[in-house]
Amino acid sequence: MKKDVRKYGISSKRGRQQTSLDPFMSEESPKEPSLCTSCKTVYLHKQWSLDPEAYRRLEANPEANWITCPACQKIAAGYPEGIVTLSGSYLWKHEDEIQRILDKEEQKALAKNPFERVIRRLREKDQLVIETTDKKLAEHLGRTLHKAHQGELHISWTGAPNTCRVRWERML
């Protein structure tokens, strides 16, 4: 695991609050172009993207830097920043539809930000637990499911490290 990296708003003057503490993000930007060996994301022009065409073009470049992106590092380490717990008898009666909604939202989030991914989905007793690499993705999945299927939604931002915990439940 990498060292703590503390990022602030414009500067850390006048007691500004910390905006990011991600142990997988390095202080320095990667060398350009960089290609992730696992997920095929590309770091080019100071941003990460999932661009298969750019990846194919750059993989033959001898100056390409081969690395593992922060999202793949989180997945390998099993380091969730968001945990969504779904439960209730309604979930299992409408499981296929709910899974489709969650898959669609995951794909939309991935298209915008290649670091917003689902790490894993686990069935624990009568619950479905979804771990995400990003806090906002967990919150978004919970809110989208609540909008589509109502139920009870509880969102909390607690823990050390700061984790978004989303609980959704609906009985028949």
Side-chain angles (χ1 to χ4, degrees), residues 74-91:
K74 286 179 187 179
I75 291 169
Y79 182 86
E81 288 193 0
I83 300 171
V84 181
T85 305
L86 311 176
S87 62
S89 55
Y90 183 88
L91 168 66

Side-chain angles (χ1 to χ4, degrees), residues 61-72:
N61 185 344
E63 294 180 16
N65 184 29
W66 293 93
I67 62 173
T68 303
C69 74
C72 288

Side-chain angles (χ1 to χ4, degrees), residues 119-169:
I119 296 174
R120 68 180 147 248
R121 295 178 190 204
L122 307 165
R123 275 197 170 156
E124 293 180 354
K125 297 178 186 172
D126 64 338
Q127 299 178 333
L128 178 62
V129 179
I130 302 165
E131 297 177 347
T132 65
T133 59
D134 187 79
K135 299 170 195 137
K136 291 182 181 179
L137 176 59
E139 180 182 15
H140 178 72
L141 292 175
R143 289 190 188 282
T144 300
L145 188 56
H146 183 256
K147 185 177 179 182
H149 291 277
Q150 289 73 46
E152 289 184 40
L153 179 68
H154 303 280
I155 300 172
S156 67
W157 297 79
T158 59
N162 189 7
T163 303
C164 179
R165 298 183 188 279
V166 178
R167 279 189 1 256
W168 177 86
E169 181 178 18

Side-chain angles (χ1 to χ4, degrees), residues 11-31:
S11 73
S12 59
K13 290 183 186 177
R14 295 183 290 279
R16 289 200 172 125
Q17 290 294 314
Q18 199 175 318
T19 57
S20 175
L21 176 58
D22 188 341
F24 293 92
M25 296 294 277
S26 64
E27 286 185 44
E28 297 87 30
S29 297
K31 181 182 138 193

